[in-house]
Amino acid sequence: MVGQVAPENIANQDPVTAPTTRRRLWCYDVVAGAVLLASFPAVHDVKSLLTAPYWADEAWVALSVRFPLSDLPITTSSSPLGWSFLLRLVPDDDDLRVVPLVFHLLTVLAAYLLGRVLAWPARGRAVLAGFICAAVVLLLPAQQIRHDLKQYTADAAVSLGLLVLSASTEQSWSRRRLSVLTAAVAVGMMLSHVTAVVAPCVFGGLVLVTAIRRQWRRLVEVISCGIGAGLIIAAVYFGISGRGRNDQMQQYWVANFPTVAELPDYLQHQLDALMPLIGVSGPLVVALIIAGLLTVVRWARPATAVAMLLLLPTAIVLGVGEIYPLLETRTSHFLLVAGAAAAGIGIVGAADLATSLTRRALPAGGRQAGTHLVATAAVSALLVGGFAFTNHRWYRFDQNESFYYTANGVEDVRSATEYVTMYAAPGDVILVSNLAWYGFAFYSRETPLELVAPYGNTVGFYVDLPGRSDVIRVSDRNAEAIRRNLELGIQKAAERGPDSRVWLIRSHIIGSEAKAWQEVLADYQVQLVTDGLEPVALITRK
């Protein structure tokens, strides 16, 4: 009959998305989203993040925008091609961190949608679940150190986005939604390499649940779209992304590729190291994640729950297979955020269940729907408030060495380069440490650049300054290379004239390189001419 809902569709219609209520939901969502967006600068010191100098790993990323678009497949290196392209849309290359910050915001909004799209029995609980899920993701300590010019915030945003599309497909099954999910995989692969990790989990969840329900026609549709997504992943990886995989990069991550025999101890060690970034004790976070997965299943999104459950085992398989670093702080950021989202849903799910059980024990007068929402919101807010208070020192922190290392705020090759550019005489020689080179090249703004590729390092390319005969890059990070290049600089300065000086710019001096510099410089006269994080020095023989 015209105007009636087909019987077979009634069971699949979510109460929170029924036509009579759907039109009224947008205002609640807008208010919740506005509060979350307003909270972002309260947690993150956006101004400082956008104005801080680029550190070593960021500098080569920033340099990529200085070259023609045709060089992008080379200069993108280990970053996704689409993500690197987005950097070129930023008008000022000193503001490139706006891209990871935008993905930070998108991650929070995606977390809201993930909690919101479950089939909650009332719209108030749906909005509450979305808000709490997003708040936990926003407040997660791991999120506070991922502001650097890398793709890790995009990893988190794309991962949650794919989970949202999975839940949306479950909400109202159609070929169109499956096609949107497949198209999202294509877009995601250009923005985040972990799309190749998350997408199989998403389609795996859909396949498993559809097969268990014996929905054979849907199963064929899911498998077809899954194969299409797999072909897209393979095409992007082997055609574009695989170029960033080289022997040097593999060697860099070798410590994060455990063997099967090493796996138990490795997992224990890595999880212990990651606990400060999670912000709560291990047993509690496991309990909340389990509660979150059960809540996702309870409110009619079992395939999405399976996808979330598969993320860690998939990451373990890829780590043992030496394909993707396992539980490393940066590369596994998406796992931490997905876990936080699950825990946020678990908070509301547990509070909702506890409230329901309590209401059943009350007299009829105390069972109003409004009191249920208020009680659920109060318990959820109390738990999230405790989480925020416990981790308050993470928010808007500049650099607290007692907490966790981040290079933002502890490296400043920009000031050193600008100082030497201003005060170096024409006959002087400038010596630049190995890992300060990309930053020096970036902040030497008027100097023409020349791209050298392929190049045998993790980045895969090198930048030459063909017009700067006064500049010497220290060729390696060991004592022998440091001493050889220091002597070369002093000799070159002597050839240029008796008044020529040797300036030294160093950055990202860590580990054995710090000891090497200390050993070599002990044999020279070192005069620090600037203060700050990484002072400039004048070098002469004793």
Side-chain angles (χ1 to χ4, degrees):
M1 182 179 295
V2 177
Q4 292 185 343
V5 179
E8 65 269 19
N9 292 329
I10 293 177
N12 293 329
Q13 189 171 13
D14 293 341
V16 297
T17 57
T20 56
T21 60
R22 188 181 300 136
R23 291 187 295 271
R24 293 180 291 174
L25 294 178
W26 68 271
C27 59
Y28 298 101
D29 294 321
V30 168
V31 171
V35 172
L36 290 168
L37 292 177
S39 300
F40 189 84
V43 176
H44 302 280
D45 189 354
V46 176
K47 181 179 179 181
S48 295
L49 294 170
L50 290 177
T51 57
Y54 297 131
W55 64 283
D57 279 9
E58 293 179 301
W60 69 261
V61 178
L63 268 174
S64 69
V65 306
R66 298 275 180 87
F67 294 99
L69 188 62
S70 58
D71 290 327
L72 185 57
I74 297 173
T75 57
T76 193
S77 185
S78 60
S79 299
L81 185 69
W83 187 90
S84 296
F85 175 78
L86 290 178
L87 299 180
R88 294 169 179 264
L89 304 181
V90 180
D92 189 338
D93 57 17
D94 280 322
D95 297 330
L96 297 177
R97 286 200 195 98
V98 72
V99 172
L101 284 176
V102 166
F103 278 110
H104 247 307
L105 281 170
L106 292 176
T107 302
V108 174
L109 295 179
Y112 176 82
L113 292 175
L114 184 60
R116 173 71 175 74
V117 78
L118 305 186
W120 297 95
R123 65 180 182 272
R125 275 183 272 177
V127 173
L128 173 65
F131 186 85
I132 295 298
C133 181
V136 172
V137 167
L138 174 66
L139 297 170
L140 180 69
Q143 290 274 69
Q144 316 314 314
I145 62 170
R146 289 279 73 86
H147 307 116
D148 42 359
L149 191 59
K150 306 291 283 185
Q151 68 270 21
Y152 306 121
T153 56
D155 292 345
V158 170
S159 299
L160 292 190
L162 290 175
L163 292 173
V164 169
L165 290 176
S166 170
S168 176
T169 302
E170 289 189 273
Q171 173 185 330
S172 180
W173 190 276
S174 70
R175 293 178 182 176
R176 180 181 177 183
R177 296 201 179 201
L178 269 178
S179 299
V180 169
L181 178 58
T182 305
V185 171
V187 176
M189 278 298 295
M190 301 303 294
L191 300 174
S192 167
H193 294 148
V194 305
T195 302
V197 181
V198 181
C201 297
V202 167
F203 278 99
L206 291 170
V207 167
L208 179 62
V209 171
T210 307
I212 291 175
R213 290 174 172 172
R214 299 185 178 183
Q215 296 170 322
W216 306 123
R217 180 175 297 179
R218 289 185 179 182
L219 181 61
V220 172
E221 293 173 354
V222 173
I223 292 176
S224 299
C225 288
I227 291 173
L231 292 174
I232 291 171
I233 291 171
V236 174
Y237 178 79
F238 291 107
I240 301 173
S241 304
R243 298 180 183 183
R245 185 183 178 96
N246 54 52
D247 292 340
Q248 290 76 20
M249 186 67 73
Q250 285 293 102
Q251 186 59 37
Y252 181 84
W253 294 118
V254 69
N256 299 106
F257 294 142
T259 65
V260 174
E262 296 169 340
L263 189 59
D265 290 339
Y266 177 88
L267 289 176
Q268 182 64 54
H269 177 269
Q270 292 301 107
L271 290 173
D272 288 344
L274 290 172
M275 288 314 298
L277 297 179
I278 296 173
V280 295
S281 64
L284 178 57
V285 73
V286 170
L288 287 175
I289 290 175
I290 292 174
L293 295 178
L294 293 176
T295 301
V296 174
V297 173
R298 181 188 181 195
W299 299 120
R301 304 292 182 262
T304 305
V306 172
M308 298 171 77
L309 184 63
L310 288 175
L311 288 176
L312 182 57
T314 302
I316 291 174
V317 170
L318 295 176
V320 173
E322 300 186 8
I323 297 173
Y324 194 79
L326 175 59
L327 293 183
E328 197 274 337
T329 307
R330 294 162 291 177
T331 58
S332 292
H333 179 66
F334 76 102
L335 287 176
L336 300 181
V337 172
I345 294 172
I347 287 174
V348 181
D352 176 65
L353 183 60
T355 302
S356 296
L357 295 175
T358 302
R359 285 180 65 206
R360 292 175 185 175
L362 294 176
R367 299 181 186 178
Q368 295 87 349
T371 60
H372 184 113
L373 177 60
V374 170
T376 302
V379 174
S380 300
L382 182 64
L383 292 174
V384 174
F387 178 71
F389 178 78
T390 301
N391 298 290
H392 71 277
R393 289 185 297 168
W394 282 97
Y395 310 132
R396 297 181 64 91
F397 76 98
D398 293 325
Q399 174 56 32
N400 188 337
E401 293 184 359
S402 66
F403 241 14
Y404 210 85
Y405 173 80
T406 175
N408 288 350
V410 298
E411 294 185 17
D412 187 9
V413 71
R414 178 178 65 191
S415 295
T417 302
E418 291 175 347
Y419 183 90
V420 173
T421 300
M422 182 178 295
Y423 293 106
D428 292 350
V429 174
I430 303 170
L431 200 70
V432 182
S433 70
N434 188 274
L435 292 181
W437 181 254
Y438 290 97
F440 176 81
F442 178 82
Y443 289 114
S444 298
R445 302 181 188 277
E446 304 302 323
T447 302
L449 304 174
E450 180 180 320
L451 181 64
V452 180
Y455 193 77
N457 60 2
T458 56
V459 175
F461 71 90
Y462 173 70
V463 177
D464 199 5
L465 309 179
R468 296 293 301 272
S469 59
D470 60 323
V471 179
I472 297 174
R473 179 199 185 195
V474 178
S475 57
D476 209 335
R477 302 168 64 192
N478 55 59
E480 180 183 354
I482 292 171
R483 189 179 301 277
R484 182 175 64 253
N485 285 275
L486 268 176
E487 284 298 318
L488 176 62
I490 291 173
Q491 179 183 348
K492 193 170 186 177
E495 294 172 355
R496 285 172 164 248
D499 296 329
S500 296
R501 298 168 294 179
V502 177
W503 300 81
L504 176 61
I505 295 177
R506 298 185 298 165
S507 186
H508 204 73
I509 305 298
I510 57 176
S512 60
E513 185 182 6
K515 296 180 181 178
W517 277 102
Q518 184 178 12
E519 174 190 333
V520 173
L521 290 179
D523 298 332
Y524 295 84
Q525 184 72 37
V526 181
Q527 178 189 355
L528 300 181
V529 294
T530 65
D531 298 321
L533 298 170
E534 296 177 319
V536 177
L538 288 170
I539 307 296
T540 56
R541 288 196 182 95
K542 284 186 176 180

